Amino acid sequence: MVLKYILPVIFVFSLYIYGWFYWYLKFYRRKIYASNIFSFHKISKYPEFGGTTNLLFQFENYLKFLKENGFKTTTIDDFLESKDDRKILIFFDDAYENVYRYAFPIMKKYSFTGVLSPVAGYIGKRNVWDAKTGKFKHMDLGMLKEMGDYGFEIISHSFSHKDLRKLNNEKLDLEILVSKEILEKSLKRRIEYFLYPFGLTNEKVKRKVKEAGYKGAFTSYTDKEDFDIYEIPRNTLYIIDTNLTLKTLLFRKPLFLFGHFDMKGRVTNWFGRFSPIIKL
Ligand SMILES: [Zn+2]
């Protein structure tokens, strides 16, 4: 009788330990993990179904921790050139309106800047690609300009947030090249980096991004050993994360926890690709 309950627990525990060692051999030993880059989606007072929201107090706690420990935000160019491990990049994927409303004032309070990645075809419109999150609006041009003027960097996150690996050349041009032109024209600033929707890319998509004149591009997680400026990995913080997650990812210790959080990020992110088809 007791075995009925104990056996599944032992099974799940063994699976977890197996997963951890798999992570250690495949990623940690080959140093495949993101450096000090953190991405957020929605910042809100209320939780939502998808889990990509970080609550306001949670977000402020991260910033407080970063400030108290001497971390500073910088530009993408400087970040990529610098060897200073206290420099960080904070991304706000999809440029939601709630980032303007809730995160921007706190970012200013701690004198941080970030990277906004709007989806060119959705400026000022509502999200349609996440499960049950249609109520979330994207920033309009005025908000993007205001944050840009304050010092936030703006990059392209495609035209319509599709899995670019599945598109033909013509459609890829719209997502990669035209999205850049739209943003440059409407924001009157240069758009030099790209962020792959769902972090999904391949060699063809990367080539297109390069040809379109971008200096580099970001993804979520990678399994590539060598640094590729067209596939820069980033960490993502979700609603279940705390300062312990942030601290562990920044300092990469204690090792067991680092494995736990990095693996959790990879697994969560992997499931993110299904969000457009799970319409609950
Ligand atoms: Zn996105």
Side-chain angles (χ1 to χ4, degrees), residues 41 93-96 117 119 129-130 157 161 195-199 234:
H41 292 81
D93 294 8
D94 313 331
Y96 288 101
S117 53
V119 180
W129 59 83
D130 272 348
H157 190 26
H161 211 282
L195 171 64
Y196 303 109
F198 312 107
R234 309 171 309 150

Side-chain angles (χ1 to χ4, degrees), residues 160-172:
S160 62
H161 211 282
K162 294 198 175 83
D163 177 353
L164 302 184
R165 302 170 307 171
K166 296 182 175 148
L167 305 182
N168 61 27
N169 280 334
E170 196 187 329
K171 284 187 176 150
L172 274 181

Side-chain angles (χ1 to χ4, degrees), residues 29-214:
R29 284 231 313 215
R30 292 156 64 205
K31 291 194 168 62
I32 303 174
Y33 34 73
S35 47
N36 296 359
I37 310 180
F38 296 91
S39 84
F40 296 93
H41 292 81
K42 300 151 196 141
I43 307 294
S44 174
K45 283 185 178 167
Y46 315 100
E48 50 97 19
F49 176 78
T52 53
T53 293
N54 275 259
L55 298 173
L56 206 52
F57 79 92
Q58 200 179 5
F59 183 69
E60 177 150 16
N61 279 342
Y62 297 140
L63 298 194
K64 225 167 150 183
F65 172 84
L66 291 168
K67 195 90 210 170
E68 283 169 4
N69 288 277
F71 288 95
K72 42 194 179 292
T73 50
T74 182
T75 60
I76 297 174
D77 284 342
D78 180 58
F79 180 85
L80 294 175
E81 275 168 27
S82 172
K83 295 264 180 289
D84 183 350
D85 61 5
R86 296 279 151 158
K87 284 186 180 168
I88 54 166
L89 291 178
I90 300 177
F91 276 69
F92 295 99
D93 294 8
D94 313 331
Y96 288 101
E97 190 190 33
N98 55 30
V99 166
Y100 174 81
R101 198 177 327 142
Y102 298 120
F104 186 31
I106 312 179
M107 291 288 279
K108 282 199 273 196
K109 181 174 157 189
Y110 291 91
S111 335
F112 285 136
T113 57
V115 181
L116 299 171
S117 53
V119 180
Y122 282 88
I123 292 173
K125 295 182 187 161
R126 285 173 197 280
N127 171 317
V128 290
W129 59 83
D130 272 348
K132 219 184 175 182
T133 55
K135 58 184 176 196
F136 289 99
K137 222 180 152 185
H138 298 274
M139 285 183 212
D140 61 27
L141 271 184
M143 296 169 187
L144 288 169
K145 276 185 188 155
E146 190 183 328
M147 289 180 77
D149 289 344
Y150 179 77
F152 279 65
E153 238 172 305
I154 301 177
I155 68 173
S156 171
H157 190 26
S158 80
F159 180 77
S160 62
H161 211 282
K162 294 198 175 83
D163 177 353
L164 302 184
R165 302 170 307 171
K166 296 182 175 148
L167 305 182
N168 61 27
N169 280 334
E170 196 187 329
K171 284 187 176 150
L172 274 181
D173 282 342
L174 170 71
E175 300 291 335
I176 297 169
L177 186 66
V178 179
S179 73
K180 185 178 194 287
E181 290 167 355
I182 292 174
L183 292 173
E184 288 185 338
K185 229 182 206 160
S186 50
L187 294 165
K188 296 188 179 58
R189 56 190 294 149
R190 295 198 53 198
I191 303 294
E192 298 180 308
Y193 289 90
F194 189 80
L195 171 64
Y196 303 109
F198 312 107
L200 300 173
T201 187
N202 59 21
E203 290 310 314
K204 182 184 169 189
V205 173
K206 280 202 272 184
R207 200 176 55 242
K208 281 275 182 193
V209 168
K210 211 182 284 184
E211 283 167 9
Y214 291 99

